[in-house]
């Protein structure tokens, strides 16, 4: 548990929503009598991921939200709202919440990619400095320079994959493999 000293006094609305969703997911899991490890095994994720969702530190993927809604026998709308559904909620509200959630996930992913590119750029500058000082042929600098160049190339490749349709294909393949391993049937979209 974090001390109140490190908590934000007035967390942003998004963070409050994340925390509310996390608390709701925790209560649903406890209603089922499952431990975080048992839920993680059912979802094919680590118990650390479940802990982060429940603490409001991170958000789960949209595909896992669908699985969670099926496991808990509630709608995705209820999960995104962080409470049980009221009778007067419409489908438009659900669509809006899913769109907001998807946008939030995309913003977080973009922020992570930006920081990776910043780190890759700094690493590339470090490599250029080592190369300009002609240290890349002497140990241990040769190994360090190789790691720097490898990291930069890896980040650039990841960026290209994210910007192309390949990442979506990789995600679909990952879902198919997870469904196959967990013995779950394919959904209507053939994922």
């Amino acid at each position: 548990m974090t001390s109140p000293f490190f908590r934000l006094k007035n967390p942003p609305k998004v963070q409050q929503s994340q925390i509310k969703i996390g608390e709701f997911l925790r209560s649903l899991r406890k209603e089922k009598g499952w431990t975080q490890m048992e839920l993680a095994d059912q979802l094919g994720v680590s118990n650390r991921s479940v802990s982060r969702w429940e603490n409001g530190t991170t958000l789960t993927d949209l595909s896992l939200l669908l699985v969670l809604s099926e496991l808990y026998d509630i709608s995705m709308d209820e999960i995104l709202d962080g409470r049980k559904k009221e009778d007067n909620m419409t489908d438009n509200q659900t669509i809006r919440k899913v769109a907001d959630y998807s946008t939030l996930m995309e913003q977080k992913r973009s922020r992570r990619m930006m920081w990776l590119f910043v780190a890759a750029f700094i690493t590339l500058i470090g490599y250029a400095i080592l190369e300009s000082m002609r240290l890349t042929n002497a140990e241990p600098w040769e190994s360090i320079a190789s790691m720097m160049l490898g990291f930069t190339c890896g980040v650039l490749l990841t960026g290209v994959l994210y910007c192309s349709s390949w990442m979506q294909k990789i995600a679909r393949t990952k879902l198919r493999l997870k469904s196959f391993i967990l013995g779950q049937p394919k959904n209507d979209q053939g994922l």
Side-chain angles (χ1 to χ4, degrees):
M1 180 180 277
T2 59
S3 71
F5 178 77
F6 291 106
R7 289 190 195 141
L8 297 173
K9 277 189 174 181
N10 296 312
K13 185 176 180 180
V14 170
Q15 189 177 3
Q16 289 173 345
S17 174
Q18 232 173 276
I19 292 169
K20 184 177 179 182
I21 292 169
E23 290 171 350
F24 184 60
L25 289 174
R26 179 183 297 118
S27 70
L28 291 170
R29 177 182 53 80
K30 288 184 177 183
E31 280 177 18
K32 292 283 188 178
W34 296 332
T35 65
Q36 287 182 345
M37 182 61 90
E38 290 170 332
L39 178 61
D41 289 341
Q42 290 184 42
L43 296 173
V45 298
S46 69
N47 62 329
R48 187 173 179 188
S49 294
V50 174
S51 175
R52 287 179 178 169
W53 303 336
E54 292 182 355
N55 290 327
T57 307
T58 62
L59 294 170
T60 178
D61 291 335
L62 204 50
S63 61
L64 286 176
L65 272 183
L66 184 60
V67 175
L68 284 170
S69 72
E70 290 172 2
L71 281 174
Y72 294 138
D73 195 30
I74 60 172
S75 68
M76 280 182 55
D77 187 42
E78 291 172 302
I79 293 176
L80 295 172
D81 202 28
R83 60 188 166 92
K84 296 280 184 177
K85 187 175 184 177
E86 299 170 9
D87 291 335
N88 61 354
M89 294 183 87
T90 65
D91 288 337
N92 286 340
Q93 289 173 320
T94 302
I95 292 169
R96 190 173 345 117
K97 286 178 185 174
V98 169
D100 289 345
Y101 185 84
S102 181
T103 301
L104 180 63
M105 292 296 292
E106 190 58 39
Q107 287 172 345
K108 285 186 169 229
R109 192 172 293 123
S110 295
R111 197 174 309 123
R112 274 188 234 125
M113 286 304 297
M114 181 201 63
W115 283 112
L116 268 175
F117 280 122
V118 167
F121 184 71
I122 291 170
T123 304
L124 187 61
I125 290 172
Y127 175 80
I129 291 170
L130 290 177
E131 184 67 38
S132 69
M133 296 175 70
R134 304 204 189 285
L135 294 173
T136 55
N137 295 329
E139 282 297 329
W141 299 109
E142 182 178 11
S143 299
I144 293 171
S146 295
M147 285 188 291
M148 291 172 129
L149 202 53
F151 175 75
T152 302
C153 290
V155 169
L156 290 175
L157 179 63
T158 303
V160 168
L161 288 173
Y162 266 105
C163 294
S164 70
S165 63
W166 281 99
M167 203 52 136
Q168 292 172 348
K169 291 177 184 177
I170 291 170
R172 276 189 234 124
T173 304
K174 182 178 159 184
L175 282 174
R176 280 190 210 120
L177 283 172
K178 187 190 302 184
S179 295
F180 177 75
I181 290 169
L182 296 176
Q184 297 172 345
K186 290 183 183 178
N187 64 19
D188 294 339
Q189 298 169 352
L191 295 178

